Amino acid sequence: MIHTYRYRFDRRTLYWTALYVVVYIGLGYGLYRLYAGEYLSAWFISCVGALLILMALSIPRKLVVTDASLEIRCLLDITELRRDEIVGARRVEADEMRWLLPLFGGCGFFGYYGHFFDLRHFDRLLIYASRWRDLVEIMTVYDDRIWVSCEAADELVSLLNAAPAEEDEA
């Protein structure tokens, strides 16, 4: 059986995204006017443009849970976890996000995704979230922690904690 959970953005995420875009456009325009289109303004616009495109390609779109795996589908990438690698799942409260320090990834630009450092547990974790609420932590046999956001977080937790259906041998 296949269960699909789509990512939904909240207002906070959309406000942060708009703020990022406005600040980068303002800085690019300011550098263009200040340096009259010379090397520094062209370099800045090229780097920021490439950064925004790379971040946009990493935006999570949906979670797909099958009997064999959990797939986190982004615009360009698919992260796949086999069900036998998942040890368990639990709900995460939104206030636990304040203990996170982004290492490599997006923080507010169409969501929160990438590698983060948990200052409370001194551990690295991977996040694919579109908002600060309805978070689920997935623990793997490799001691990896992955946080995802899902509107039906309780359903996802119970689905991941349930033993995967065994195929009948015929």
Side-chain angles (χ1 to χ4, degrees), residues 110-126:
F110 284 111
Y112 308 90
Y113 44 87
H115 296 273
F116 286 70
F117 187 74
D118 187 355
L119 296 172
R120 177 182 269 173
H121 301 288
F122 294 105
D123 192 16
R124 181 190 58 85
L125 61 113
L126 190 60

Side-chain angles (χ1 to χ4, degrees), residues 49-155:
L51 179 67
L52 290 176
I53 289 170
L54 286 173
M55 288 174 65
L57 292 174
S58 300
I59 296 169
R61 288 183 13 230
K62 62 183 168 182
L63 298 169
V64 177
V65 181
T66 64
D67 292 334
S69 67
L70 164 71
E71 295 177 357
I72 304 167
R73 295 184 182 177
C74 300
L75 291 177
L76 183 66
D77 183 30
I78 296 176
T79 301
E80 183 176 1
L81 297 171
R82 291 192 337 248
R83 290 291 297 269
D84 59 352
E85 293 177 343
I86 297 174
V87 174
R90 71 172 182 93
R91 288 286 305 255
V92 177
E93 297 302 321
D95 64 342
E96 291 184 50
M97 289 282 282
R98 67 180 162 171
W99 293 98
L100 301 180
L101 179 69
L103 296 176
F104 184 76
C107 187
F109 183 74
F110 284 111
Y112 308 90
Y113 44 87
H115 296 273
F116 286 70
F117 187 74
D118 187 355
L119 296 172
R120 177 182 269 173
H121 301 288
F122 294 105
D123 192 16
R124 181 190 58 85
L125 61 113
L126 190 60
I127 296 181
Y128 295 99
S130 60
R131 56 188 166 185
W132 279 41
R133 61 180 187 277
D134 301 327
L135 295 168
V136 175
E137 180 181 53
I138 302 166
M139 286 88 54
T140 68
V141 294
Y142 307 110
D143 291 331
D144 290 333
R145 294 170 45 208
I146 301 169
W147 287 11
V148 297
S149 64
C150 178
E151 284 183 341
D154 292 326
E155 180 183 335

